[in-house]
Amino acid sequence: MQNKYLIRRYLLFAIALFINAMGVAYITKASLGTSPITSITYVASMFTPLSMGQWTIVLNLLFVLLELPFMTRRQVREDLRMYLSQVVITFFFGLCIDLCMFIIQGLNPVAYLSQMVNLLIGCVILAVGIALEVKADVAMMAGEYFVRVLVKKFHRDFGYLKLAFDWTLVALAVMLSLVFMGGVYGVREGTVIAALLVGPIVHFVSPWYRFVDRWISPQPATGIQASASPAAGEEPHTVITIAREYGSGGHLLGEMLAKELGIKLYDKEFIHLAAQKSGIDEDYIHRNEQSIPSFWLKCILAAGSETARERSLSPDDVLFVAESNIIRELAAKGPCIIVGRCADYVLQDRPHLVKVFCYADAQSLYRRCTEEYGVPADKAKAEIARVNRNRIAHYEYYTGERWGDPHRYDLMLNTGSMGLETACQLVAGLYGKSLHAST
């Protein structure tokens, strides 16, 4: 049974590689410069007899050899299948690139608008392939694997090291072009556009691939999206999750509900619990929790990535996984209230869950921030915008869902117009119905 699903994953991976190759071919044929990860192979093909696909094979085999000095014998033994699979993948991907270039050989846009359209089409195709490759989650391209080896060796963040790696290839491509062709060829505005667009498109299309989960895995979902349903024999109980705009009083509502219902509230306690779980310093968590780099930057760092997030955990990712595990553990122990931390998403498969979103008008948010939170009046509006922007980026990056989407919640509470007391009674009433249904 497991072999069947493994074969399917490899088949999906092969399809993804072909789609990636077609995306690279479209971007290249646009004549506005190729993507960063293929820039050096494209430039090399312009002044040598070897094709772009052949140079892809040569360069990736070089990466495979360069990995060995940075790996211990134990690492090679433990990861031998993944290491050797790079060789097969390298030849297959190189051949796919040449095949795709042959298939669209008649595509030679001349007008700048036509070139830009083909570039954008290539970016979309490449992103679709990358997202599918991540879903397959069985192997890695040599470039990705090489970066992962460096991450383990030097203990650096994968995203930033991958970004530096890609742009090092671009710099080398420019140098080769200057030395052998007397000018800059193959690296143009399309290279930058591809670097900026592919990551966000991958992020956008990834949620649409959930339909293949049943085909490639005996369970509908794995990892951080695994079911949070109570285990067999566990007494069912209800959990309340509160997502909130900054200044809407979500934490205060949680305190009122905890007192009203006699159940535990978890919010600020997560900092200490997450520090214990992840090994990350509490001060770092306090400064950076739900304040990851902007959505666009995170997508740029992920651009061209053929590996699942679990393989290249940054401190942000480690923190999110740790908090997700804590959320499941707390939800399993008994009825409780959890504020923020994407809890509505982490527990989305739980049968007895009350999901609340708190929001308010701008004036009410401003008033609560200045009068109750102690934010200086001249900084309140900027602080509200900053915190909410970070919460949106954090939620949407890690869940692939839209923060504040009314379809994802049981109650949308305008705490500015109804007040926290009324909001508390509404949530308590819904909690009572859920509690009754679970008994």
Side-chain angles (χ1 to χ4, degrees):
M1 178 65 73
Q2 292 298 327
N3 287 337
K4 178 181 72 172
Y5 289 110
L6 185 61
I7 291 172
R8 289 179 178 180
R9 284 182 176 273
Y10 276 109
L11 177 60
L12 188 66
F13 186 83
I15 294 172
L17 286 182
F18 180 80
I19 295 174
N20 285 347
M22 184 60 73
V24 169
Y26 258 91
I27 293 173
T28 304
K29 293 293 283 186
S31 300
L32 295 176
T34 190
S35 64
I37 58 174
T38 54
S39 58
I40 193 169
T41 58
Y42 177 50
V43 170
S45 70
M46 297 174 72
F47 62 87
T48 66
L50 297 183
S51 67
M52 186 175 174
Q54 291 170 331
W55 270 114
T56 297
I57 294 173
V58 171
L59 182 63
N60 281 275
L61 288 178
L62 177 61
F63 289 148
V64 173
L65 293 175
L66 290 175
E67 289 160 4
L68 287 174
F70 298 100
M71 300 176 68
T72 64
R73 291 184 179 180
R74 180 178 179 182
Q75 287 175 333
V76 174
R77 287 196 302 269
E78 291 178 348
D79 215 16
L80 186 60
R81 180 190 64 82
M82 186 75 74
Y83 178 79
L84 294 178
S85 68
Q86 295 177 91
V87 178
V88 178
I89 293 168
T90 291
F91 278 96
F92 180 75
F93 187 55
L95 293 174
C96 283
I97 288 178
D98 281 346
L99 176 60
C100 290
M101 291 293 285
F102 174 78
I103 292 173
I104 61 172
Q105 60 180 319
L107 182 66
N108 294 296
V110 178
Y112 189 78
L113 179 60
S114 178
Q115 291 176 325
M116 188 61 67
V117 169
N118 280 278
L119 172 66
L120 296 178
I121 292 173
C123 288
V124 172
I125 295 174
L126 181 58
V128 167
I130 289 172
L132 198 63
E133 196 173 330
V134 170
K135 177 63 70 174
D137 192 22
V138 286
M140 299 176 71
M141 292 286 291
E144 290 288 331
Y145 195 91
F146 180 62
V147 174
R148 194 183 74 160
V149 168
L150 295 180
V151 167
K152 289 184 176 181
K153 178 68 174 180
F154 299 107
H155 307 289
R156 295 291 185 266
D157 179 85
F158 181 92
Y160 290 100
L161 196 57
K162 178 63 169 64
L163 186 66
F165 175 78
D166 287 348
W167 287 105
T168 298
L169 294 182
V170 173
L172 290 173
V174 171
M175 291 174 59
L176 288 174
S177 179
L178 289 171
V179 171
F180 291 98
M181 293 184 287
V184 178
Y185 300 96
V187 179
R188 289 183 52 184
E189 64 270 30
T191 305
V192 178
I193 292 172
L196 294 175
L197 284 186
V198 172
I201 299 173
V202 169
H203 175 85
F204 176 78
V205 301
S206 292
W208 295 94
Y209 284 158
R210 290 173 185 166
F211 72 92
V212 303
D213 286 334
R214 293 180 181 274
W215 189 69
I216 63 175
S217 175
Q219 296 179 346
T222 57
I224 60 176
Q225 297 183 33
S227 172
S229 302
E234 178 186 324
E235 182 180 352
H237 50 262
T238 300
V239 175
I240 300 173
T241 65
I242 301 177
R244 74 287 186 219
E245 289 185 341
Y246 184 63
S248 64
H251 177 80
L252 298 174
L253 174 62
E255 290 181 338
M256 295 172 66
L257 283 168
K259 185 176 181 180
E260 175 79 15
L261 302 174
I263 60 178
K264 291 184 178 180
L265 167 68
Y266 297 103
D267 186 356
K268 298 176 181 179
E269 297 83 357
F270 271 92
I271 294 178
H272 178 66
L273 293 173
Q276 290 181 322
K277 195 83 173 180
S278 65
I280 298 176
D281 183 70
E282 284 193 34
D283 289 335
Y284 175 90
I285 296 176
H286 182 74
R287 293 192 308 269
N288 296 279
E289 187 188 38
Q290 300 186 48
S291 299
I292 63 172
S294 70
F295 164 76
W296 198 267
L297 176 58
K298 294 293 284 190
C299 287
I300 292 172
L301 295 181
S305 174
E306 290 97 8
T307 178
R309 184 180 296 121
E310 288 82 354
R311 289 183 184 158
S312 54
L313 292 177
S314 68
D316 298 322
D317 298 332
V318 171
L319 179 57
F320 176 76
V321 172
E323 289 192 335
S324 297
N325 290 333
I326 292 168
I327 287 169
R328 293 192 190 93
E329 292 171 4
L330 295 176
K333 289 180 179 179
C336 61
I337 303 160
I338 301 175
V339 178
R341 280 84 184 180
C342 306
D344 60 279
Y345 175 81
V346 175
L347 301 176
Q348 62 182 333
D349 295 324
R350 189 176 184 86
H352 305 292
L353 182 67
V354 176
K355 297 179 289 185
V356 177
F357 187 88
C358 297
Y359 67 100
D361 58 275
Q363 186 175 357
S364 297
L365 295 176
Y366 176 83
R367 184 171 58 251
R368 179 167 280 118
C369 284
T370 55
E371 295 178 2
E372 298 181 28
Y373 297 176
V375 179
D378 61 333
K379 298 180 179 178
K381 290 183 179 179
E383 183 66 3
I384 292 170
R386 183 190 68 81
V387 174
N388 285 336
R389 185 168 59 248
N390 285 340
R391 287 178 179 176
I392 291 171
H394 180 270
Y395 187 90
E396 295 186 353
Y397 175 75
Y398 283 110
T399 71
E401 305 289 349
R402 188 163 66 88
W403 187 73
D405 180 358
H407 299 93
R408 294 193 53 78
Y409 302 93
D410 301 304
L411 280 177
M412 298 290 290
L413 301 173
N414 187 339
T415 56
S417 61
M418 70 174 61
L420 291 178
E421 293 78 9
T422 303
C424 180
Q425 294 306 312
L426 288 172
V427 179
L430 191 58
Y431 175 84
K433 289 183 179 180
S434 177
L435 191 64
H436 178 73
S438 65
T439 58

